[in-house]
């Protein structure tokens, strides 16, 4: 599906009028509590769908909106020593995902299948946020977007069952999506720089 079919009209209203708006209202209310204290951390949950073509048009536009909102809120709140970031989890093992495991794994995103068993627990994002709260260099991340898995590597936390989730920027993981035998020869520490990821997905002429 192109994601722009007529039936997605209601989805647009849900994503923008409810989802994106609620992110902004929640950030706004949180900021009002944090400004008098001269400190705080606001984390908005987004998705790589903000940059890559996942699912539908409303989905992608909504996630891109969350990321841009986090960036601008971070700049606006910097003078109050409040940090605002956007967090990209991987595939999360929510109740909905687990209940629809077979249909999700039979489908593909951009030609790549998904393995729900490798997904993150719902607690993993919480661990990422808890790690950010202890970060002595948190202000350097203000307005930025980051992967939960990269934070796991930076701060050394695992999922609740002890699993270590590799970075989506790992060359080994990216190659392994289509060429597993070739990926076996690639060191796991090699990561694609953000600038190259942005260049591969940009839409400027």
């Amino acid at each position: 599906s192109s994601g722009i079919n007529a039936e997605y009209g209601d989805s647009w209203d849900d994503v923008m009028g409810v989802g994106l708006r609620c992110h902004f209202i929640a950030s706004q209310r949180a900021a009002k509590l944090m400004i008098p204290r001269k400190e705080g951390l606001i984390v908005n949950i987004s998705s790589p769908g903000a940059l890559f073509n996942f699912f539908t048009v409303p989905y992608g536009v909504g996630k891109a909106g969350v990321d841009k909102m986090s960036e601008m809120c971070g700049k606006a709140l910097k003078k109050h020593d409040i940090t605002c970031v956007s967090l990209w989890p991987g595939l999360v093992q929510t109740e909905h995902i687990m209940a629809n495991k077979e249909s999700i794994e039979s489908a593909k995103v951009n030609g790549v299948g998904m393995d729900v068993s490798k997904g993150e627990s719902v607690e993993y994002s919480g661990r990422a946020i808890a790690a950010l709260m202890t970060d002595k260099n948190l202000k350097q991340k203000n307005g930025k977007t980051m992967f939960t898995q990269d934070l796991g590597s930076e701060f050394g936390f695992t999922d609740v069952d002890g699993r270590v989730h590799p970075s989506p920027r790992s060359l080994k993981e990216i190659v392994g999506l289509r060429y597993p035998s070739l990926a076996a020869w690639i060191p796991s520490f090699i990561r694609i720089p953000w600038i190259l990821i942005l260049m591969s997905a940009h839409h400027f002429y």
Side-chain angles (χ1 to χ4, degrees):
S1 171
S2 65
I4 198 171
N5 296 334
E7 64 263 30
Y8 291 115
D10 291 339
S11 176
W12 178 275
D13 294 336
D14 290 341
V15 170
M16 304 303 164
V18 179
L20 184 55
R21 184 175 186 274
C22 285
H23 275 84
F24 176 71
I25 296 299
S27 297
Q28 186 181 54
R29 297 291 175 85
K32 288 182 178 180
L33 297 174
M34 296 174 182
I35 287 174
R37 302 175 183 176
K38 296 293 183 179
E39 65 175 351
L41 170 64
I42 298 172
V43 181
N44 289 301
I45 304 298
S46 184
S47 162
L51 186 62
F52 301 101
N53 296 325
F54 291 174
F55 312 124
T56 66
V57 170
Y59 179 87
V61 175
K63 298 305 182 183
V66 172
D67 288 353
K68 186 62 179 178
M69 184 197 74
S70 296
E71 177 195 354
M72 296 189 71
C73 285
K75 291 178 179 178
L77 295 170
K78 181 179 180 180
K79 61 185 177 183
H80 300 291
D81 289 327
I82 297 171
T83 299
C84 185
V85 301
S86 191
L87 190 63
W88 285 1
L91 177 64
V92 180
Q93 296 173 339
T94 62
E95 292 87 348
H96 174 77
I97 294 293
M98 298 307 292
N100 297 276
K101 181 177 181 293
E102 292 185 3
S103 61
I104 290 171
E105 291 187 336
S106 64
K108 292 186 176 181
V109 176
N110 295 335
V112 177
M114 292 181 284
D115 185 349
V116 174
S117 69
K118 294 182 178 180
E120 302 172 11
S121 71
V122 294
E123 293 89 354
Y124 190 68
S125 290
R127 292 191 170 192
I129 295 170
L132 284 172
M133 293 175 68
T134 67
D135 188 4
K136 295 180 180 180
N137 299 311
L138 179 62
K139 292 181 181 180
Q140 296 179 8
K141 295 181 172 69
N142 189 32
K144 304 300 184 182
T145 297
M146 56 204 75
F147 283 110
T148 53
Q149 303 95 324
D150 282 345
L151 292 177
S153 176
E154 179 179 351
F155 294 103
F157 63 85
T158 64
D159 211 329
V160 292
D161 56 3
R163 286 179 298 149
V164 175
H165 296 291
S167 171
R169 296 191 294 120
S170 165
L171 181 61
K172 184 182 186 74
E173 291 299 311
I174 294 172
V175 173
L177 292 174
R178 296 182 183 275
Y179 309 103
S181 58
L182 178 60
W185 295 91
I186 301 176
S188 59
F189 63 84
I190 300 177
R191 296 186 183 182
I192 305 297
W194 269 108
I195 186 63
L196 295 182
I197 293 175
L198 293 173
M199 288 175 63
S200 69
H202 83 87
H203 49 268
F204 300 103
Y205 179 69

